[in-house]
């Protein structure tokens, strides 16, 4: 059957995240952006809401089962607070979720419990490369097999928390496929080149990282000797990002709505002008449409439907356009005030443009 | 639980209707497009027979004979099955419109007229007016709201209803245009038209009421059939009422609303909450037909769509088609949510209007792009793409234009009344 009603458990989780998003994340987002740094207690508080912990089975230290639907609900709500904060809170998932999805038993037993049983600890992954037509299925970073394991060669950008991370899951091309390789901190040949400056999400530290013939032991190939299918990881990344785009857009929409209802113009409220009202009607319709597409894709992933990957791809494709459309209009509706950094909409617009290029910065 | 599993009855229904679309609609699509005002009786008679037999296409749980009721499953089991009547209908309309939306629009049964009776009528009125659809001959009903000078601004209608206290009859006067199936309701069957009129021209919306005018009423005359851009198999009638007398209880709703109130008008609007997503669904059917034919035609030339690539690596055609799929699927999901809410008796005016806004946009874009991408083939009447382009456009116009629905969505967003956001 069809249902658009989250379960009671999901509603409770979303409510808890929503409170945190409003009272904590949103309040500190501006300063964090200006400081290029997230307060760690803020991230820890978000981590304690327990989303990732609840998606890892008890056998590996968690207390639940992974659900992509729950994941997109949680990701939307976090990003409703702040995109950089949302990505930071879910950061350990960049490492843990692919291991849950594609790792062998030894990898799950080794890596998952220390992550989910601890306080927020940076674990990350490295996917994106510096190319205008970056394609996660055609990586330039390569893995070469040798007698001792695999040698990683290449350069990654936008690796969140690379400097601080205890381990990084590096994606590289091996035999024509994208494969993950677990690289612990301080492995020889890993070179943190620099912290990168980008248009938005400046509170989230992103690094350029070089892999100079990094030797990865055989057992550190994700999925073990046989490797793994990359598609489920990509699907989950697309879903997470699409959901975050929805949350971000919803934040921008609501801010513009409240502003338009407050602000006087020609003797009425801005919101009473059809030209603004229609823009808002289109924004909310767009957001709801893409939210439902994301939900459906997540449900298809959870239920192993044949077209799940395609649907997740469509959802993210729609989400890129939605995020840009909605955040741009939010700035426009605030007029000159929208351009001033005291209002959050310009940051959301910068973050909104990022959705098209952030595949790999989050996963649910 | 959030779920997207198609219920079995819907899957079965889709399967059957796809056959109807393939065999009874597509083969005659072009014919009825080129022979405007010719009536597709084969389709009508077939559908009438089939719907009578299966109860398909009905919103209301049908009154069954008592002995049949006894055999129903115990209450416990019944409760477990969630209501899906509106969802069934949305899928039905989508699939039939995928076949041919113009022909779908002449499907016998209540249409908008019945929906109005369903939404605003008393149990007695429902019994009196709706029973006819189960009879042997196909019967039609229509809704008459628009007038030459009043389209979207429904509160500006001028048709009047005056109570003749001596005979206890309403006397209707005025002209209605754009009445879908009005000709078939009054002249080709023993149907009816739900006519909107005012009992107090000074009262604006508070004076609006709806009246059932039945076939054979000498006061109601079909004066014109429109020639249209698309949906040509569907008749669009003008109806003039000249001292058209109807019984007192032909006014929908309880007699108390004879006193001034906006209930009557709200009744009409409530009808739209239910029907807008359904109309949106018909547009999606047309657009899906276009997109599928486009993809098939490209595939026949060796062009397949490479889903999963970054946009920067896609060809322009791939990008267009992927965008169309995003638009179409997300628009459909808005519809599905709106009808799911209707099934579960959740208040859905905002969702109904959002689904209509999105569908109106999307189906016009998709069908227009399909013609563009197919170049000279798309523009030719050899294929149906150009017809679907013409058919789809009405989605953004009838049952509330895209602009009216934007207004409704915006009023909901801002919690504004009609006077606060005009």
């Amino acid at each position: 059957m069809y249902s658009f009603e989250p379960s009671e458990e999901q509603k409770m989780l979303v409510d808890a995240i929503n409170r945190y998003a409003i009272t904590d994340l949103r309040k500190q987002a501006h300063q964090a952006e200006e400081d290029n740094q997230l307060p760690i207690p803020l991230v820890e508080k978000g981590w304690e809401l327990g989303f990732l912990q609840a998606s890892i089975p008890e056998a590996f230290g968690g207390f639940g089962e992974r659900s992509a639907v729950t994941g997109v609900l949680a990701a939307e709500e976090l990003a409703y607070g702040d995109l950089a904060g949302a990505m930071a809170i879910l950061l350990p998932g960049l490492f843990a979720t692919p291991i849950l999805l594609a790792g062998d038993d030894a990898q799950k037993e080794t890596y998952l419990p220390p992550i989910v049983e601890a306080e927020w600890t940076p674990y990350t992954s490295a996917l994106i490369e510096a190319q205008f037509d970056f394609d996660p299925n055609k990586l330039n970073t390569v893995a070469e097999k040798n007698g001792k394991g695999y040698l990683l060669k290449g350069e990654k950008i936008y690796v969140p928390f690379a400097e601080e991370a205890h381990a990084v899951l590096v994606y590289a091309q091996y035999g024509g496929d994208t494969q993950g390789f677990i690289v612990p901190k301080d492995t020889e040949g890993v070179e943190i080149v620099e912290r990168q400056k980008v248009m938005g999400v400046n509170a989230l530290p992103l690094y350029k990282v070089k892999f100079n013939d990094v030797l990865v032991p055989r057992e550190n190939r994700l999925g073990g000797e046989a490797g793994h299918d990359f598609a489920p990881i990509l699907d989950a990344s697309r879903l997470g990002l699409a959901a975050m785009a929805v949350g971000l857009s919803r934040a921008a929409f609501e801010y513009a709505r409240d502003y338009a209802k407050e602000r006087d113009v020609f003797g009425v409220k801005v919101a009473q002008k059809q030209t603004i009202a229609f823009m808002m009607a289109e924004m909310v319709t767009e957001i709801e449409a893409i939210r439902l597409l994301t939900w459906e894709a997540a449900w298809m992933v959870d239920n192993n439907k044949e077209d799940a990957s395609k649907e997740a791809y469509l959802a993210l494709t729609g989400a890129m356009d939605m995020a840009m459309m909605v955040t741009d209009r939010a700035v426009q509706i605030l007029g000159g005030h929208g351009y001033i950094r005291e209002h959050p909409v310009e940051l959301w617009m910068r973050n909104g443009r990022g959705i098209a290029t952030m595949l790999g910065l989050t996963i649910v | 639980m959030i779920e997207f599993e198609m219920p079995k009855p819907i899957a079965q229904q889709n399967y059957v209707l796809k056959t109807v679309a393939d065999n009874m609609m597509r083969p005659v699509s072009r014919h009825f497009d080129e022979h405007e005002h010719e009536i597709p009786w084969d389709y009508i008679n077939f559908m009438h027979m089939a719907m009578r037999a299966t109860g398909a296409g009905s919103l209301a749980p049908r009154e069954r004979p008592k002995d049949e009721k006894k055999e129903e499953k115990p209450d416990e089991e019944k409760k477990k099955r969630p209501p899906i009547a509106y969802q069934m209908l949305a899928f039905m309309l989508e699939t039939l419109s995928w076949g041919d939306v113009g022909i779908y629009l002449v499907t016998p049964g209540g249409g908008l007229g019945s929906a109005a009776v369903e939404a605003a009528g008393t149990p007695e009125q429902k019994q009196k007016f709706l029973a006819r659809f189960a009879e042997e001959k196909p019967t039609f009903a229509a809704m008459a709201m628009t007038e030459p000078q009043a389209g979207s601004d429904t509160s500006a209608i001028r048709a009047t209803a005056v109570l003749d206290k001596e005979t206890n009859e309403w006397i209707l006067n005025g002209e209605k245009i754009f009445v879908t199936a009005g000709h078939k309701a009054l002249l080709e069957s023993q149907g009816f038209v739900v006519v909107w009129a005012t009992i107090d021209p000074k009262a604006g919306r508070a004076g609006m009421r709806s009246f059932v005018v039945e076939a054979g009423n000498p006061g109601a005359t079909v004066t014109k059939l429109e020639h249209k851009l698309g949906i040509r198999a569907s008749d669009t009638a003008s109806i003039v009422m000249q001292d058209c007398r109807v019984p007192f209880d032909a006014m929908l709703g309880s007699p108390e609303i004879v006193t001034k109130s906006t209930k009557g008008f709200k009744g009409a609007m409530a009808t739209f909450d239910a029907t807008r997503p359904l109309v949106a669904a018909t547009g999606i059917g047309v657009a899906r037909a276009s997109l599928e034919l486009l993809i098939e035609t490209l595939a026949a030339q060796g062009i397949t769509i490479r889903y999963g690539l970054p946009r920067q690596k896609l060809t322009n055609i791939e990008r267009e088609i992927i965008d169309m799929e995003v638009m179409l699927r997300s628009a459909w999901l808005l519809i599905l949510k709106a009808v799911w809410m209707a099934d579960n008796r959740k208040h859905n005016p905002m969702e109904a209007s959002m689904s209509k806004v999105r569908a109106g946009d999307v189906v016009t874009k998709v069908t227009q792009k399909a013609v563009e991408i197919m170049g000279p083939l798309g523009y030719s009447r050899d294929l149906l793409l150009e017809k679907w382009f013409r058919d789809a456009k009405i989605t953004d116009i009838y049952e509330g234009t895209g602009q009216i629905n934007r207004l409704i969505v915006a009023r909901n967003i801002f919690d504004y009344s009609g006077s606060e956001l005009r």
Side-chain angles (χ1 to χ4, degrees):
Chain A
M1 63 175 230
Y2 295 107
S3 170
F4 296 85
E5 187 99 52
S7 69
E8 285 307 313
E9 233 172 291
Q10 289 168 334
K11 279 185 200 164
M12 279 165 59
L13 176 69
V14 167
D15 283 349
I17 298 178
N18 178 266
R19 279 193 299 275
Y20 165 79
I22 292 169
T23 57
D24 298 274
L25 261 187
R26 183 77 63 81
K27 286 218 170 99
Q28 300 189 42
H30 175 72
Q31 201 52 49
E33 169 73 14
E34 298 287 319
D35 293 348
N36 299 315
Q37 195 180 347
L38 281 159
I40 293 305
L42 174 71
V43 178
E44 280 172 347
K45 193 172 173 185
W47 170 254
E48 279 157 21
L49 293 166
F51 161 68
L52 186 71
Q53 296 89 323
S55 55
I56 307 273
E58 270 179 52
F60 305 116
F63 53 85
E65 289 295 327
R66 174 175 176 269
S67 149
V69 170
T70 307
V72 296
L73 294 172
E76 173 187 334
E77 217 52 41
L78 282 169
Y80 173 72
D82 176 52
L83 186 63
M87 286 176 165
I89 290 158
L90 296 185
L91 180 85
L94 278 181
F95 185 84
T97 303
I99 288 177
L100 180 70
L101 287 172
D104 62 19
D105 286 345
Q107 288 164 349
K108 289 179 192 171
E109 280 158 21
T110 308
Y111 295 104
L112 296 182
I115 294 174
V116 291
E117 284 167 1
E119 295 193 341
W120 180 84
T121 318
Y123 283 84
T124 190
S125 76
L127 177 69
I128 303 175
E129 296 171 352
Q131 250 182 268
F132 83 92
D133 58 351
F134 166 70
D135 181 347
N137 284 306
K138 293 270 179 295
L139 299 177
N140 286 327
T141 300
V142 293
E144 289 168 4
K145 204 168 184 176
N146 73 6
K148 295 174 187 165
Y150 302 90
L151 276 184
L152 294 183
K153 300 174 181 181
E155 186 179 276
K156 295 287 182 179
I157 60 167
Y158 299 170
V159 184
F161 287 91
E163 180 90 71
E164 300 84 352
H166 290 216
V168 50
L169 182 61
V170 181
Y171 293 99
Q173 196 213 114
Y174 179 76
D177 294 326
T178 295
Q179 294 287 292
F181 297 88
I182 298 165
V183 178
K185 195 181 175 70
D186 299 328
T187 300
E188 204 184 326
V190 178
E191 181 191 343
I192 312 281
V193 180
E194 59 180 359
R195 172 145 180 204
Q196 297 179 287
K197 294 175 178 171
V198 292
M199 184 161 73
V201 291
N202 285 300
L204 186 76
L206 299 173
Y207 294 88
K208 179 187 280 188
V209 183
K210 269 191 185 163
F211 298 89
N212 306 310
D213 293 331
V214 173
L215 178 64
V216 180
R218 219 167 284 152
E219 64 271 21
N220 277 17
R221 178 175 175 191
L222 187 62
E225 198 61 48
H228 64 94
D229 185 3
F230 182 53
I233 296 171
L234 197 52
D235 294 346
S237 305
R238 286 186 167 128
L239 289 176
L241 192 56
M244 285 194 179
V246 172
L248 160 77
S249 301
R250 206 180 93 215
F253 162 77
E254 288 182 10
Y255 198 90
R257 174 197 65 195
D258 296 346
Y259 181 89
K261 224 184 149 174
E262 238 357 88
R263 174 92 179 174
D264 294 306
V265 62
F266 302 115
V268 293
K269 299 296 179 191
V270 166
Q272 288 175 281
K273 294 288 179 192
Q274 270 194 5
T275 185
I276 302 296
F278 278 23
M279 284 167 80
M280 294 292 295
E282 288 162 8
M283 288 155 76
V284 76
T285 303
E286 183 78 17
I287 294 168
E288 182 69 3
I290 300 303
R291 171 191 284 125
L292 296 182
L293 194 59
T294 307
W295 284 11
E296 185 180 50
W299 177 86
M300 288 171 82
V301 163
D302 282 342
N303 290 277
N304 299 313
K305 296 288 174 185
E306 197 186 346
D307 278 342
S309 291
K310 177 184 165 188
E311 186 92 348
Y313 173 75
L314 293 181
L316 181 57
T317 301
M320 292 175 197
D321 292 342
M322 168 202 62
M324 200 64 257
M325 179 265 221
V326 172
T327 56
D328 172 76
R329 286 183 177 197
V331 169
Q332 187 69 22
I333 287 168
L334 266 75
H337 294 278
Y339 206 71
I340 307 290
R341 293 218 300 278
E342 275 165 34
H343 288 284
V345 285
E346 63 78 31
L347 170 60
W348 291 335
M349 183 179 169
R350 287 185 278 132
N351 290 349
R353 181 67 288 171
I355 298 299
T357 196
M358 289 175 176
L359 180 59
L361 291 195
T362 196
I363 191 168
V364 294
Chain B
M1 277 287 278
I2 291 169
E3 277 188 78
F4 292 89
E5 188 79 59
M6 184 184 288
K8 270 210 182 101
I10 293 183
Q12 286 160 356
Q13 175 192 264
N14 286 355
Y15 179 80
V16 173
L17 292 174
K18 168 79 164 52
T19 316
V20 174
D22 279 335
N23 295 298
M24 306 212 66
M25 302 176 99
R26 286 287 178 92
V28 294
S29 247
R30 182 57 77 187
H31 177 87
F32 286 102
D33 182 57
E34 295 192 340
H35 297 79
E36 197 163 15
H37 303 154
E38 208 175 284
I39 301 175
W41 283 113
D42 287 349
Y43 168 79
I44 291 170
N45 290 325
F46 172 81
M47 283 304 280
H48 181 62
M49 186 191 70
M51 289 160 76
R52 253 183 107 202
T54 61
S58 167
L59 276 181
R62 294 219 166 159
E63 282 301 319
R64 294 183 202 162
K66 286 243 163 84
D67 56 324
E68 207 178 310
K69 269 187 181 168
K70 277 183 201 153
E71 287 168 26
E72 277 189 6
K73 289 170 185 166
D75 280 357
E76 270 303 298
E77 219 168 298
K78 239 166 63 178
K79 270 184 204 155
K80 282 184 199 159
R81 277 181 290 154
I84 56 168
Y86 274 107
Q87 294 165 59
M88 293 278 289
L89 213 48
F91 275 96
M92 175 182 177
L93 269 52
E94 199 271 350
T95 307
L96 289 176
S97 302
W98 176 89
D100 187 295
V101 66
I103 297 175
Y104 148 69
L105 283 165
V106 304
T107 306
L112 285 185
S114 284
V117 175
E118 284 287 352
T122 62
E124 296 75 31
Q125 287 171 328
K126 288 182 194 177
Q127 182 57 36
K128 180 177 176 192
F129 297 121
L130 301 180
R132 68 193 67 197
F133 299 110
E135 280 169 22
E136 202 175 325
K137 283 191 175 167
T139 308
F140 300 85
M143 172 113 126
M145 174 76 92
T146 302
E147 298 182 1
Q149 82 295 337
S152 292
D153 183 5
T154 48
S155 62
I157 65 169
R158 288 183 197 151
T160 56
V162 178
L163 186 62
D164 179 344
K165 283 184 179 138
E166 278 180 23
T167 62
N168 209 26
E169 287 172 321
W170 294 101
I171 306 170
L172 303 179
N173 277 290
E175 182 185 3
K176 293 290 176 182
I177 62 168
F178 300 168
V179 183
T180 299
H183 181 258
K184 278 190 264 308
L186 292 182
L187 296 176
E188 296 286 347
S189 72
Q190 291 302 309
F192 61 81
V193 176
V194 174
V195 173
W196 287 85
T198 175
I199 55 170
D200 180 358
K202 285 182 219 118
R205 285 175 183 165
M208 294 257 297
R209 299 291 182 275
S210 54
F211 301 85
V212 177
V213 176
E214 296 182 84
N217 190 316
T221 319
V222 175
T223 54
K224 188 184 175 190
L225 289 178
E226 303 287 352
H227 296 84
K228 303 189 296 297
L229 173 67
I231 54 165
R232 290 181 183 166
S234 163
D235 66 286
T236 304
S238 297
I239 298 171
V240 170
M241 288 156 297
Q242 227 164 2
D243 293 333
C244 175
R245 286 176 170 268
V246 295
F248 182 79
D249 63 3
M251 187 184 78
L252 290 178
S254 61
E256 292 93 75
I257 65 160
V258 173
T259 54
K260 273 185 203 171
S261 91
T262 52
K263 264 191 189 164
F265 185 75
K266 282 180 179 157
M269 295 304 124
T271 311
F272 288 133
D273 293 343
T275 54
R276 277 183 176 137
L278 298 175
V279 169
T282 65
I284 298 293
V286 181
R288 182 166 66 87
S290 287
L291 184 55
E292 285 178 6
L293 181 58
L294 180 59
I295 291 172
E296 279 165 28
T297 313
L298 289 170
Q301 301 201 9
I303 300 169
T304 51
I305 311 304
R306 296 169 297 165
Y307 300 97
L309 284 188
R311 266 191 176 160
Q312 292 88 332
K313 286 187 172 177
L314 296 171
T315 64
N316 180 58
I317 286 181
E318 286 173 324
R319 193 169 165 168
E320 297 271 22
I321 286 174
I322 285 165
D323 286 349
M324 286 191 229
E325 288 197 46
V326 170
M327 289 192 279
L328 207 55
R329 188 68 200 165
S330 60
W332 173 248
L333 292 173
L334 284 181
I335 294 167
L336 204 50
K337 184 176 177 187
V339 290
W340 170 81
M341 289 178 80
D343 276 331
N344 288 281
R345 297 179 187 280
K346 292 174 191 282
H347 191 55
N348 73 343
M350 171 136 166
E351 286 76 8
S353 283
M354 286 201 297
S355 75
K356 182 69 167 50
V357 165
R358 181 87 171 171
D361 274 354
V362 159
V363 306
T364 47
K365 267 183 214 148
V366 168
T367 53
Q368 289 166 10
K369 272 286 168 195
V371 170
E372 181 204 315
I373 291 173
M374 277 293 106
L377 309 180
Y379 204 69
S380 160
R381 284 201 243 164
D382 288 346
L383 294 179
L384 288 167
L385 288 172
E386 66 81 29
K387 176 185 182 291
W388 291 331
F389 162 104
R390 291 182 286 110
D391 286 347
K393 180 59 197 168
I394 192 63
T395 315
D396 204 24
I397 298 172
Y398 63 5
E399 210 71 1
T401 60
Q403 289 62 43
I404 286 297
N405 280 298
R406 277 168 174 75
L407 207 48
I408 293 167
V409 173
R411 283 175 189 152
N412 276 280
I413 292 170
F414 293 117
D415 195 20
Y416 276 157
S417 65
S419 58
E420 286 169 310
L421 180 57
R422 300 160 79 88

